[in-house]
Amino acid sequence: ASCGSKQKYTDMQTKFENCSKDRKALQSKSLNLENANKELTADNAKMNKKIERLENDTLTMGRQYSELNRDYQNLKKSFNDLSESYKKLDATNKKESAIILKNIQDLQLNLENKEKELAQKEARFRDLSDSLQMMSDSLTQKSIDLERQQKRLAELQSILDKKDEDVKALKGKIKQALQGFEGSGLTVYEKNGK
């Protein structure tokens, strides 16, 4: 009978050691996942700040684009009005015609400059919009990854809790089995909770 109990004790001790190893491995995995989760959360916050800055830049560029477009349209109208005025002038009024011609040339130069500036603003606006879209896509992917990590962390925590319960139950059985030997000339005492 003593041999069977010793075998039972050895089996329980082996199970206890295996459960302890599993528990440590799961704790390590849980810690790694928590660290990864913190990094993803920090990355997520950085991406949100970048997106907010890009959105603000995009709004500013949009306003500037609208203002430039309005200026361009006003200049274009002035240019067209002056062109029409110039065409209607009498050929004999050369001095006035020269002034109007100079104004038209100045306006035409301004118009060309505004067109160039408007084209540059449009290109910058497109670049900002593309960057914003890329950041948004990246943030969406990071959010998905974060959600997966949190789900995996919860699963590992559940497994770890189950292992803790198994270890406690196994300790209780070992303690009970050892205390069963006390009456048969064997002294069993507890030291440091073991």
Side-chain angles (χ1 to χ4, degrees), residues 2-3 8 14 19 22 25 27-28 35 55 61 64-65 89 101 121 125 132-133 135 140 163 169 172-173 177 179 187:
S2 142
C3 194
K8 190 174 184 180
T14 302
C19 281
D22 288 348
Q27 283 176 328
S28 175
N35 289 336
E55 286 174 340
M61 291 296 290
Q64 290 174 350
Y65 173 79
L89 277 179
L101 181 59
K121 293 286 182 181
F125 184 76
L132 181 61
Q133 184 60 46
M135 290 285 192
T140 301
K163 288 286 182 182
K173 287 180 182 178
Q179 287 174 346
T187 304

Side-chain angles (χ1 to χ4, degrees), residues 87-134:
K87 289 175 187 175
K88 292 176 183 175
L89 277 179
D90 187 25
T92 57
N93 198 351
K94 293 189 180 198
K95 187 177 181 184
E96 193 174 320
S97 296
I99 293 170
I100 290 175
L101 181 59
K102 171 95 171 77
N103 285 342
I104 288 173
Q105 289 169 343
D106 290 345
L107 281 171
Q108 190 167 13
L109 186 62
N110 276 345
L111 185 62
E112 288 169 3
N113 289 338
K114 288 290 181 181
E115 284 175 341
K116 288 177 188 174
E117 194 176 338
L118 186 61
Q120 290 171 349
K121 293 286 182 181
E122 284 175 340
R124 178 75 177 130
F125 184 76
R126 278 193 302 275
D127 290 346
L128 281 173
S129 293
D130 292 345
S131 293
L132 181 61
Q133 184 60 46
M134 284 173 24

Side-chain angles (χ1 to χ4, degrees), residues 64 124 143 162 184:
Q64 290 174 350
R124 178 75 177 130
S143 295
K162 176 75 171 94
S184 59

